[in-house]
């Protein structure tokens, strides 16, 4: 999402200039006050082993215990690390290499990918006063194919960029479908119907680059937010951690396991599930010495889906609907207006009848 109106320069470029002081637009006065939990028992993001949840012919490897763990993770954390996910290793390796290569390109070449909504730049820079995130991104619509706007994809280098994104994006689509099927099972609703809600939904990717910062305690890579999608699957490209998630009133740092994917429930699944699953606030903190890179793959529901609690889940919940229903067009409009006035989308849609 290149700047909608104001051109904030590349943070990567800014950071490379060894500035003595950090420009005030990046400095957050409030961060010091927040509590970060480091290593408290039971305060680690759940780890789910997907190989225990795949139904093979005779069901031999299937673990009900792992299913329960998944259900709890979606209810209480809104996040889980996924291991033994079976994503093609070559596809993982190639996306890592090509995204790294993209951000190493000279600024002029990266800027060729700038545009209004998609492309290279920063998220939603709407005013001169707005605090800025310490990070750059390349934001692309990746699926269905017809949504791709190759004008904002790198044209020449990395040479294999299109191929790598295509392969990785189809792997993410496959994993998303498996996961929503498992969630339906856990929610006690029809798996095929639930999977269909997300079939051919928009998939987009946000390639994130967070440069080191000489005073990391004063900046944020991404401000606290919940994802306005259905499901997000995140890949951290190097060993530098930085993601923190809200849990029990604290910020809990995620220690990414090598090769794992991090999955989180977005606002749409929170709403569809009538609040049984939670879309949790998260933010990114910055490292003093090292850059951090990640790829977030966002999966939306199909645009024909009404974003509102599913009838079966209202009934199971004592008949109380917790959110108002909106069409997907209205939902997109709300995302944009909520960015303008800084309100949480979930708060806007929550019904106050409890
Ligand atoms: O880089 C990360 O770890 C998180 C990125 C994120 O939250 C996002 O792109 O929405
Ligand atoms: Fe996010």
């Amino acid at each position: 999402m290149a700047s909608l109106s104001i051109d904030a320069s590349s943070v990567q470029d800014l950071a490379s200039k060894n500035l003595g002081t950090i420009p005030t637009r990046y400095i957050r006065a409030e961060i010091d006050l927040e509590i970060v939990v480091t290593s408290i028992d039971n305060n680690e993001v759940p780890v789910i082993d997907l190989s225990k949840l795949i139904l093979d012919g005779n069901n031999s490897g299937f673990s009900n215990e792992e299913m329960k763990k998944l259900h709890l993770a979606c209810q209480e954390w809104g996040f889980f690390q996924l291991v033994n996910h079976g994503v093609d290793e070559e596809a993982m390796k190639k996306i890592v290499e090509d995204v790294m290569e993209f951000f190493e390109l000279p600024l002029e070449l990266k800027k060729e990918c700038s545009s209004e909504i998609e492309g290279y730049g920063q998220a939603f820079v709407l005013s001169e006063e707005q605090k800025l995130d310490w990070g750059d991104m390349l934001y692309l619509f990746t699926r269905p194919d017809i949504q791709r706007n190759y004008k904002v994809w790198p044209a020449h280098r990395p040479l294999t960029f299109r191929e790598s994104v295509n392969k990785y994006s189809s792997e993410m689509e496959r994993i998303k479908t498996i996961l929503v099927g498992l969630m339906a099972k856990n929610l006690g609703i029809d798996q095929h119907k639930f999977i269909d809600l997300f079939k051919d939904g928009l998939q987009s990717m946000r390639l994130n680059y967070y440069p080191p910062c000489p005073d990391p305690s004063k900046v944020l890579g991404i401000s606290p937010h919940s994802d306005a999608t259905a499901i997000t699957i995140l890949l951290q490209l190097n060993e530098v951690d930085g993601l923190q998630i809200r849990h029990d009133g604290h910020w809990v740092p995620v220690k990414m396991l090598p090769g794992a994917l991090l999955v989180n429930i977005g606002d749409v699944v929170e709403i569809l599930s009538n609040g049984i699953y939670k879309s949790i606030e998260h933010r990114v903190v910055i490292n003093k010495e090292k850059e951090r890179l990640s790829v977030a793959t966002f999966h939306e529901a199909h645009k024909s889906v009404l974003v509102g609690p599913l009838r079966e889940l209202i009934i199971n919940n004592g008949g109380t609907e917790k959110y108002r229903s909106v069409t997907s067009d209205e939902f997109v409009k709300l995302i944009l207006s909520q960015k303008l006035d800084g309100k949480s989308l979930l708060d806007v849609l929550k019904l106050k009848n409890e």
Side-chain angles (χ1 to χ4, degrees):
M1 233 165 294
S3 53
L4 279 183
S5 53
I6 291 161
D7 185 25
S9 58
S10 151
V11 185
Q12 186 177 7
D13 187 52
L14 186 76
S16 71
K17 291 182 177 139
N18 287 327
L19 297 174
T21 51
I22 301 162
T24 45
R25 290 199 63 195
Y26 295 92
I27 295 184
R28 321 280 181 137
E30 74 274 25
I31 308 176
D32 290 349
L33 306 171
E34 306 270 7
I35 308 157
V36 176
V37 175
T38 40
S39 56
I40 291 180
D41 282 353
N42 299 324
N43 234 335
E44 301 231 330
V45 176
V47 177
I48 304 294
D49 183 342
L50 191 59
S51 69
K52 293 184 182 167
L53 297 173
I54 303 292
L55 292 163
D56 56 18
N58 57 11
N59 244 357
S60 57
F62 194 82
S63 157
N64 285 321
E65 210 172 299
E66 204 67 9
M67 270 307 263
K68 278 192 203 137
K69 232 169 107 181
L70 173 66
H71 195 44
L72 268 180
C74 297
Q75 287 176 291
E76 291 177 6
W77 286 83
F79 271 84
F80 54 90
Q81 294 204 51
L82 193 68
V83 297
N84 296 323
H85 43 62
V87 172
D88 183 82
E89 281 180 23
E90 186 62 19
M92 297 264 274
K93 187 169 157 264
K94 286 299 297 171
I95 194 83
V96 171
E97 286 173 5
D98 283 3
V99 173
M100 287 187 164
E101 187 182 333
F102 171 77
F103 284 107
E104 279 162 16
L105 293 178
L107 181 59
E108 294 323 305
L109 288 183
K110 283 181 290 207
K111 279 197 160 167
E112 283 178 7
C113 302
S114 300
S115 167
E116 276 290 293
I117 301 284
E118 282 184 275
Y120 178 70
Q122 278 95 28
F124 292 108
V125 183
L126 299 163
S127 73
E128 298 286 355
E129 291 76 44
Q130 183 189 330
K131 287 292 176 192
L132 297 178
D133 291 341
W134 192 262
D136 300 327
M137 66 159 115
L138 175 63
Y139 181 64
L140 305 172
F141 294 142
T142 45
R143 262 169 211 277
D145 294 8
I146 193 163
Q147 295 289 346
R148 292 182 189 174
N149 171 12
Y150 286 124
K151 282 194 204 124
V152 298
W153 292 43
H156 307 294
R157 281 164 46 208
L159 269 178
T160 51
F161 188 85
R162 279 190 193 188
E163 198 183 314
S164 304
V165 170
N166 188 40
K167 182 77 182 110
Y168 180 73
S169 114
S170 89
E171 284 291 87
M172 290 303 101
E173 201 65 10
R174 190 172 66 76
I175 298 292
K176 170 207 78 176
T177 306
I178 297 172
L179 290 175
V180 294
L182 293 168
M183 287 173 192
K185 198 161 186 265
N186 268 334
L187 289 166
I189 56 179
D190 187 293
Q191 270 181 289
H192 297 290
K193 271 205 226 157
F194 196 61
I195 288 173
D196 274 352
L197 300 181
F198 308 96
K199 195 160 173 264
D200 297 327
L202 181 71
Q203 185 202 63
S204 60
M205 275 188 203
R206 180 173 155 154
L207 321 182
N208 295 304
Y209 180 94
Y210 310 100
C213 178
D215 198 348
S217 66
K218 295 216 161 48
V219 299
L220 282 176
I222 300 191
S223 322
H225 67 283
S226 67
D227 293 346
T229 52
I231 280 199
T232 306
I233 308 178
L234 185 98
L235 174 65
Q236 185 170 289
L237 305 192
N238 57 359
E239 69 298 340
V240 182
D241 288 329
L243 181 67
Q244 297 184 339
I245 73 177
R246 261 251 194 250
H247 184 70
D248 285 346
H250 302 292
W251 287 110
V252 178
V254 179
K255 292 184 209 120
M256 282 299 289
L257 300 169
L261 294 166
L262 186 81
V263 179
N264 67 286
I265 302 291
D267 298 349
V268 172
V269 166
E270 171 164 332
I271 294 168
L272 290 172
S273 74
N274 202 22
I276 299 174
Y277 286 174
K278 303 287 185 311
S279 174
I280 296 296
E281 213 185 5
H282 50 286
R283 67 178 191 179
V284 173
V285 297
I286 296 298
N287 191 284
K288 192 172 163 104
E289 271 104 31
K290 294 184 195 144
E291 63 189 6
R292 174 170 186 269
L293 291 101
S294 68
V295 173
T297 308
F298 303 112
H299 300 93
E300 317 277 349
H302 187 268
K303 58 178 179 311
S304 65
V305 170
L306 190 68
V307 183
L310 296 176
R311 190 200 291 258
E312 305 90 298
L313 294 174
I314 302 170
I315 297 165
N316 295 353
N317 259 356
T320 314
E321 216 166 324
K322 294 193 176 161
Y323 307 84
R324 138 171 105 82
S325 302
V326 291
T327 64
S328 72
D329 280 350
E330 284 169 320
F331 188 76
V332 171
K333 278 188 204 136
L334 278 174
I335 295 175
L336 293 172
S337 60
Q338 154 261 352
K339 296 242 186 241
L340 285 170
D341 61 22
K343 270 199 207 139
S344 142
L345 189 59
L346 289 169
D347 284 345
V348 172
L349 289 171
K350 249 178 214 156
L351 291 167
K352 314 270 179 268
N353 55 2
E354 291 177 59

